């Protein structure tokens, strides 16, 4: 896994967590998704625009509101894998929920996560994208392009208040369907994308993001805690 991650910037684990753990996470996830008061200030629509209906619901730092998430085996297991990948100083920087509601048909555009982050001297990072439903092309599974380098292309908002996007060659893009409980790991400079959800059910994903402890301290010193305004920081 480490060789694959370092070579192409991503890999998949078809089954990371067992059905009991999946069910536990689904219950915690749904409670947060349904409680707009509890998640106020941390919740937004990645689709942007002026729609009254959330199409791509993003809830940042969900474990701040629901500490039971941190007590699950999932967080411990993913942390262990990340430390094996990139070193013992890797720690959880932030987590988030991204839900695509049924028949919202809104893609998450091609982008690099690093565009959202400040410039850091230590560029090591890992994002673990955990499927809490069976995910496939029609409901918004992940697509990746093998990473070339650690450069960030110019990004801009896809819509007012929406997700960042960029233009890139997608000829080598790979579609990654997963069973619930499966996951992908990707680097912050790896291009990725997902189609809109055109099915009758939700597409629920839990994302855990890691970087070196010193870089987390650097972010916090500059006021970056992965809440607040969505914008390009790494220019």
């Amino acid at each position: 896994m480490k060789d694959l991650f370092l070579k192409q910037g991503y890999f998949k684990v078809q089954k990371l967590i067992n059905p009991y753990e999946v069910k536990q996470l689904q219950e915690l996830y749904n409670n947060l998704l349904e409680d707009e008061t509890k998640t106020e200030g941390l919740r937004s629509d990645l689709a942007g625009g002026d729609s009254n209906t959330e199409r791509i619901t993003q809830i940042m730092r969900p474990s701040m509101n629901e500490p039971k998430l941190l007590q699950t085996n999932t967080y411990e297991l993913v942390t262990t894998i990340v430390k094996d990948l990139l070193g013992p100083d890797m720690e959880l920087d932030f987590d988030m929920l991204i839900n695509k509601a049924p028949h919202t048909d809104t893609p998450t555009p091609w982008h690099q996560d690093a565009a959202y982050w400040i410039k850091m001297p230590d560029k090591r990072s890992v994002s673990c994208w955990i499927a809490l439903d069976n995910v496939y092309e029609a409901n918004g599974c992940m697509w990746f392009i093998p990473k070339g380098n650690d450069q960030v292309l110019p990004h801009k908002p896809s819509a007012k208040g929406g997700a960042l996007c960029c233009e890139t060659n997608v000829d080598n893009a790979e579609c990654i369907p997963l069973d619930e409980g499966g996951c992908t790991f990707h680097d912050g400079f790896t291009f990725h994308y997902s189609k809109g959800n055109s099915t009758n059910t939700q597409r629920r994903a839990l994302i855990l993001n890691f970087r070196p402890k010193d870089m987390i301290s650097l972010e916090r010193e500059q006021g970056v805690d992965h809440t607040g305004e969505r914008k390009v920081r790494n220019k």
Side-chain angles (χ1 to χ4, degrees), residues 110-126:
W110 285 105
H111 68 283
Q112 297 165 285
D113 291 338
Y116 289 95
W117 307 335
I118 61 172
K119 289 183 182 292
M120 287 178 261
D122 189 333
K123 294 180 171 61
R124 286 178 294 157
S125 66
V126 183

Side-chain angles (χ1 to χ4, degrees), residues 86 88 103 118 153-154 163 174 179 189 196 202 209:
L86 292 185
H103 296 293
I118 61 172
L153 289 186
E174 181 183 6
D179 296 332
F189 296 88
Q202 293 187 107
N209 184 275

Side-chain angles (χ1 to χ4, degrees), residues 38-139:
K38 190 173 185 178
T39 57
E40 185 178 3
L42 299 171
R43 184 188 193 111
S44 62
D45 187 353
L46 279 171
D50 300 319
S51 174
N52 293 324
T53 302
E54 290 180 344
R55 291 157 289 171
I56 310 175
T57 303
Q58 181 185 58
I59 300 175
M60 299 300 297
R61 308 290 297 272
S63 57
M64 290 172 54
N65 278 325
E66 184 45 88
K68 289 181 181 178
L69 286 168
L70 296 173
Q71 299 167 14
T72 63
N73 292 329
T74 299
Y75 279 65
E76 181 179 357
L77 175 59
V78 174
T79 300
T80 299
I81 293 172
V82 170
K83 287 179 181 289
D84 287 343
L85 285 175
L86 292 185
D89 60 336
M90 298 296 288
E91 293 188 358
L92 180 68
D93 184 3
F94 66 96
D95 53 357
M96 61 179 166
L97 311 182
I98 299 181
N99 180 68
K100 293 197 173 186
H103 296 293
T104 44
D105 298 320
T106 306
T108 304
W110 285 105
H111 68 283
Q112 297 165 285
D113 291 338
Y116 289 95
W117 307 335
I118 61 172
K119 289 183 182 292
M120 287 178 261
D122 189 333
K123 294 180 171 61
R124 286 178 294 157
S125 66
V126 183
S127 294
C128 180
W129 192 100
I130 303 166
L132 297 183
D133 298 288
N134 294 330
V135 296
Y136 43 96
E137 189 171 354
N139 73 347

Side-chain angles (χ1 to χ4, degrees), residues 10 110 143-146 167-175 191:
Y10 67 93
W110 285 105
W143 291 67
F144 293 102
I145 299 171
E167 295 183 4
T168 186
N169 186 323
V170 301
D171 290 347
N172 295 326
E174 181 183 6
C175 179
F191 294 98

